Amino acid sequence: MKKSLVSKAAALVGALAMTFGFAACGQTNTADSSNSNTSDLKKVTFMLSWAPDTNHIGVYVAKNKGYFKDAGLDVDIVAVAQAGAEQAVNNGVADFALSNLTNVGVYTLKGAHIKQVLQVQQKPSAIWCALASNTAIKSPTDLDGKTFATFGSNESDAVVRRMIQTDGGKGEFDKVTVGTSTFQTMESGKADFGGFYATWEGVQADMYGPKLNCFTEPDYGVPGNADTIGIITNDKTIKNNPDLVKKFTQATQKGYEYAYANPDDAAQILVDEAPDANLKPEFVKKSMQVIVDGQYWGDPAKIKDGSFVLGTNDFKGAQEYFDFLAEEDAYTDSHDKIIHEAPQAKDLATDEFIGK
């Protein structure tokens, strides 16, 4: 497997998918497609970036509530391609997908032509955890010399190393590639710690176990926003069909706005619209509660008074994180040669299509 920087979101799919037995497919039961004539609507493909979860929820809500139909769109939600959602969008296999600015930067360095047109998540949600039963690990410095359950990302190596060093350690650790799930790898004793999302696996651990002892990136020296999750499309679509991009982006934005204001209802919509994922309603509702309480999609008060628009790209936070990764030699080109210059967030995203 080639060494390349991949998103934590994609890298953490094993923990999520194996635990819940998700089938990352796009089959949905929707009022948008089942109760109306879609022959006059523009067919659009949206690709999942991993299994259905609350990061994707705005798209499912927009489909269920008819926001896409109102915009003249018939949106098909499809499973992530083996090559990844970013590559599928770059090649035109999918019109839009869920990704993040970190991935957009990585793929752009390797020759892709994609952009983020809406950013959902405004602050990091990654957590780096050991089992709570492992009492030898109390802070990141205790990860020195321990074994990291990894999916092979240069990015995650850089993050873990910085956290350990900030806490006074050397930043040296062993690695084992996750073959099933991060939870199972840790419980089997093959690894001591791994990466998760506070808004998903963290919720699972709190509700169902195993209990975790976790550390967050901003507390231990990792700058910027590592989790700039949002919607991407390719440059060709932006150039040739900006009206389509605007319609999809604003309908999706409306879906996320509804989900943020009505988290329990949105959670039930995701459960109903992605039946093959076998999601538990109480779990998805708790995930949405964590997102709202943690203000991961922005300050609700500022959204309400108009001083912040949900969907706005965080160029500053993204750039700070990009610069950090470049300092850590985490970027490589298509020939695996290290690139020392960081991608520029201002060139990788645009706010021109979101509703103000």
Side-chain angles (χ1 to χ4, degrees), residues 73-145:
L73 306 178
D74 177 18
V75 176
D76 189 19
I77 302 173
V78 301
V80 60
Q82 187 173 1
E86 295 82 7
Q87 195 70 287
V89 168
N90 183 59
N91 295 339
V93 174
D95 299 299
F96 301 91
L98 191 77
S99 183
N100 58 58
L101 271 175
T102 302
N103 265 19
V104 171
V106 170
Y107 278 86
T108 298
L109 290 176
K110 297 180 186 298
H113 299 280
I114 53 179
K115 273 193 175 65
Q116 186 158 286
V117 293
L118 180 153
Q119 182 179 315
V120 181
Q121 190 154 309
Q122 300 298 322
K123 68 178 186 179
S125 59
I127 49 177
W128 303 88
C129 312
L131 296 177
S133 58
N134 187 349
T135 56
I137 298 176
K138 297 181 176 63
S139 72
T141 190
D142 298 322
L143 302 178
D144 249 341

Side-chain angles (χ1 to χ4, degrees), residues 18-54:
M18 293 301 298
T19 305
F20 286 96
F22 288 170
C25 78
Q27 294 179 358
T28 59
N29 300 322
T30 64
D32 190 16
S33 60
S34 61
N35 295 335
S36 61
N37 185 352
T38 60
S39 61
D40 295 329
L41 303 179
K42 169 70 175 176
K43 295 215 175 269
V44 175
T45 299
F46 171 82
M47 182 170 284
L48 301 173
S49 198
W50 50 94
D53 66 3
T54 43

Side-chain angles (χ1 to χ4, degrees), residues 251-262:
T252 300
Q253 179 185 11
K254 190 174 180 181
Y256 280 105
E257 288 171 345
Y258 181 91
Y260 212 29
N262 305 275

Side-chain angles (χ1 to χ4, degrees), residues 19 43 47 67 81 93 105 128 137 141 149 203 264 284 295 299 310 312 317 322 331 349:
T19 305
K43 295 215 175 269
M47 182 170 284
Y67 300 156
V93 174
W128 303 88
I137 298 176
T141 190
V203 174
D264 285 354
V284 182
Q295 299 187 6
D299 184 340
L310 192 155
T312 302
F322 292 173
Y331 287 115

